[in-house]
């Protein structure tokens, strides 16, 4: 490498591009670092050197300071480009700020408003998951804890409630509650009690539909199906037969409630093969036992209330009638009148519509 500076012609270190004075001038005016040796010449320094040498050769008498003026337009252009670059960076940063801060802040507020309106554990959880650093995160956590406390307290008050609407409201307000299975079990039990109170083929059908749809757990589905089949009138009805059956059913239970021996006898066949939980026997003996049992109390202990409109029957090959009828029982307990629904009395009548057998199906013992 030459030992003279290409700009001023003075001597320079062999490994340097310029003398120390020219190097300082370039670095100060052009704000670039001049490489110390051949291997590090950058584009600006190389171009500046080549241009300076070329100008110096063409104008050997031109002062060195004039050479720096030749580069002024280039400096202005560089500054303009730098300004535009900075402006672009600011615009991009502004857009990024809007997208990540303003827009995200709006979404934060929108989801928070939705969570407050819903006011459920799942709603607050959704907000917290979507905005782990959200403005309302701590408030959402506070509301969630408060709801969980309310949830436990509400369930304690509902454990013995008979209000099905309140239990349904609990499921709506706390859809992911750990108490959900218990609430549904309670609802199922209450629905079954209501079904037993109606004690009709239609009510048992409705319970089965609710169980199959998932609305109820269906703990009593088997009982409902069995009772539905007992009360569903699948056999073609003959009006005269149905009228006679209803006459026997109504007359017998009216007489039994009043313990009128003659009336009870009228509706029974000479030989009864089964009577409630006892075995069979002559009707006179059965009626006598009923009267003796009733005489031991000051008043009839049980009143039988058959639903004759819901009687279902089937005629057999020997012209007997298998009859199912829903019945309520009313009795006095501790000075208070109580009524229990859900009984189904099963009878077999002979061709003269007299009772041959009589048994009963009781309500489910575990219904609450």
């Amino acid at each position: 490498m030459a030992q003279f500076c290409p700009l001023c012609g003075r001597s320079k270190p062999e490994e340097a591009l310029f003398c120390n004075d020219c190097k300082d001038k370039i670095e100060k005016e052009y704000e670039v670092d001049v490489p110390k040796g051949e291997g590090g010449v950058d584009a600006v320094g190389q171009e500046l050197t080549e241009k300076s040498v070329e100008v110096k050769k063409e104008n050997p008498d031109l002062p060195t300071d004039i050479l720096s003026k030749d580069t002024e337009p280039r400096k202005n252009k560089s500054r303009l480009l730098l300004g535009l670059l900075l402006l672009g960076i600011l615009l991009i940063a502004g857009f990024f700020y809007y997208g990540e801060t303003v827009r995200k802040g709006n979404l934060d507020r929108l989801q928070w408003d939705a969570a407050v309106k819903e006011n459920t554990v799942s709603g607050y959880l959704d907000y917290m998951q979507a905005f782990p650093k959200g403005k309302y995160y701590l408030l959402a956590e506070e509301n969630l804890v408060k709801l969980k406390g309310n949830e436990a307290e509400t369930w304690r008050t509902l454990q013995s409630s008979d209000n099905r609407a309140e239990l349904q409201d609990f499921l709506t307000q706390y859809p992911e509650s750990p108490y959900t299975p218990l609430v549904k079990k309670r609802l199922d039990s209450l629905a079954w009690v209501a079904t037993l109170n109606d004690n009709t083929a239609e009510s048992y059908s409705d319970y089965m539909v609710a169980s199959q749809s998932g609305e109820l757990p269906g703990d009593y589905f088997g009982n409902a199906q069995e009772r539905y089949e007992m009360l569903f009138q699948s056999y073609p009805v003959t009006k005269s037969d149905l009228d006679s059956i209803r006459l026997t059913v109504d007359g017998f239970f009216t007489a039994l409630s009043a313990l009128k021996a003659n009336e009870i006898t009228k509706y029974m066949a000479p030989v009864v093969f089964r009577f409630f939980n006892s075995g069979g026997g002559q009707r006179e003996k059965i009626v006598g036992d009923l009267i003796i049992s009733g005489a031991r109390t000051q008043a009839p202990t049980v009143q039988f209330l058959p639903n004759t409109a819901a009687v279902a029957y089937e005629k057999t090959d020997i012209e007997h009638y298998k009859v199912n009828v829903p019945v309520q029982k009313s009795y006095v307990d501790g000075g208070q009148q109580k009524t229990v629904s859900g009984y189904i009395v099963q009878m077999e009548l002979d061709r003269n519509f007299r009772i041959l057998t009589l048994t009963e199906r009781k309500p489910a013992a575990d219904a609450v």
Side-chain angles (χ1 to χ4, degrees):
M1 182 176 288
Q3 296 183 355
F4 300 99
C5 177
L7 293 179
C8 65
R10 292 193 292 267
S11 63
K12 67 174 182 63
E14 185 175 356
E15 69 275 7
L17 294 175
F18 309 101
C19 67
N20 290 335
D21 292 338
C22 290
K23 174 179 176 296
D24 293 339
K25 186 176 182 68
I26 292 171
E27 288 181 344
K28 181 178 180 181
E29 293 187 7
Y30 295 98
E31 298 181 353
V32 296
D33 293 327
V34 176
K36 294 182 179 180
E38 293 180 328
V41 180
D42 61 289
V44 175
Q46 181 68 28
E47 182 179 358
L48 180 60
T49 301
E50 292 175 354
K51 185 172 182 65
S52 298
V53 171
E54 181 181 348
V55 173
K56 185 69 175 176
K57 287 181 179 180
E58 293 176 357
N59 303 278
D61 297 328
L62 188 67
T64 303
D65 290 344
I66 299 298
L67 295 177
S68 63
K69 296 179 181 180
D70 184 61
T71 61
E72 281 298 323
R74 184 177 299 277
K75 288 176 63 178
N76 293 336
K77 183 177 181 181
S78 298
R79 289 170 181 169
L80 176 61
L81 290 174
L82 180 61
L84 292 174
L85 178 61
L86 289 174
L87 179 61
I89 291 173
L90 289 174
L91 289 174
I92 293 172
F95 179 78
F96 178 81
Y97 173 80
Y98 175 82
E100 294 300 316
T101 305
V102 178
R103 186 176 63 86
K104 192 170 183 179
N106 290 339
L107 292 176
D108 184 333
R109 182 53 188 260
L110 285 174
Q111 185 149 345
W112 169 247
D113 289 343
V116 171
K117 184 177 181 180
E118 185 178 336
N119 196 35
T120 63
V121 170
S122 61
Y124 290 123
L125 280 175
D126 288 344
Y127 171 82
M128 294 168 70
Q129 290 172 355
F131 300 96
K133 296 182 180 179
K135 181 178 179 180
Y136 308 98
Y137 185 92
L138 294 178
L139 189 55
E141 189 175 42
E142 180 182 333
N143 288 356
L144 188 149
V145 171
K146 183 178 178 181
L147 272 179
K148 295 299 286 185
N150 291 343
E151 175 184 336
E153 183 62 31
T154 302
W155 165 240
R156 278 194 289 270
T157 63
L158 290 178
Q159 288 187 57
S160 58
S161 174
D162 293 336
N163 191 322
R164 295 167 68 183
E166 287 182 347
L167 290 164
Q168 289 288 3
D169 289 343
F170 181 92
L171 293 179
T172 300
Q173 188 172 5
Y174 307 107
E176 298 179 5
S177 171
Y179 302 108
T180 294
L182 298 175
V183 174
K184 287 187 174 182
K185 190 173 183 67
R186 180 68 182 166
L187 276 170
D188 193 28
S189 181
L190 293 174
W192 178 243
V193 169
T195 300
L196 288 175
N197 286 336
D198 288 341
N199 203 20
T200 62
E202 291 77 12
S203 67
Y204 294 118
S205 175
D206 291 342
Y207 177 86
M208 289 190 292
V209 170
S211 300
Q212 290 171 328
S213 69
E215 180 182 344
L216 296 173
D219 290 345
Y220 307 94
F221 186 90
N223 289 330
Q225 188 173 35
E226 184 179 14
R227 287 166 169 268
Y228 171 79
E229 292 171 355
M230 292 171 65
L231 295 178
F232 178 68
Q233 182 59 53
S234 58
Y235 186 86
V237 171
T238 301
K239 186 177 184 305
S240 59
D241 288 348
L242 184 58
D243 288 344
S244 297
I245 291 170
R246 287 174 173 171
L247 184 63
T248 295
V249 169
D250 186 57
F252 170 76
F253 281 114
T254 299
L256 183 61
S257 298
L259 286 178
K260 293 182 178 180
N262 292 336
E263 291 294 317
I264 296 173
T265 301
K266 183 171 68 173
Y267 294 106
M268 298 175 66
V271 177
V272 177
F273 298 97
R274 185 171 181 83
F275 191 82
F276 286 103
N277 295 326
S278 64
Q282 298 291 324
R283 63 183 172 190
E284 287 76 13
K285 181 179 184 308
I286 294 173
V287 172
D289 290 342
L290 286 172
I291 299 302
I292 292 171
S293 177
R296 293 173 184 168
T297 61
Q298 296 180 351
T301 56
V302 179
Q303 300 291 304
F304 295 86
L305 307 170
N307 182 3
T308 54
V311 165
Y313 80 95
E314 179 180 353
K315 193 172 184 179
T316 69
D317 294 337
I318 58 174
E319 296 187 351
H320 286 184
Y321 300 89
K322 292 184 177 181
V323 179
N324 295 323
V325 56
V327 175
Q328 285 183 331
K329 290 185 179 182
S330 180
Y331 59 93
V332 176
D333 182 18
Q336 294 184 341
Q337 192 76 24
K338 293 187 176 181
T339 300
V340 180
S341 301
Y343 290 92
I344 297 178
V345 173
Q346 298 172 281
M347 299 179 175
E348 183 175 347
L349 310 182
D350 63 17
R351 64 184 63 190
N352 295 316
F353 301 100
R354 295 176 301 183
I355 298 171
L356 289 168
T357 65
L358 189 152
T359 59
E360 67 179 0
R361 180 63 56 85
K362 297 179 181 180
D366 56 345
V368 178

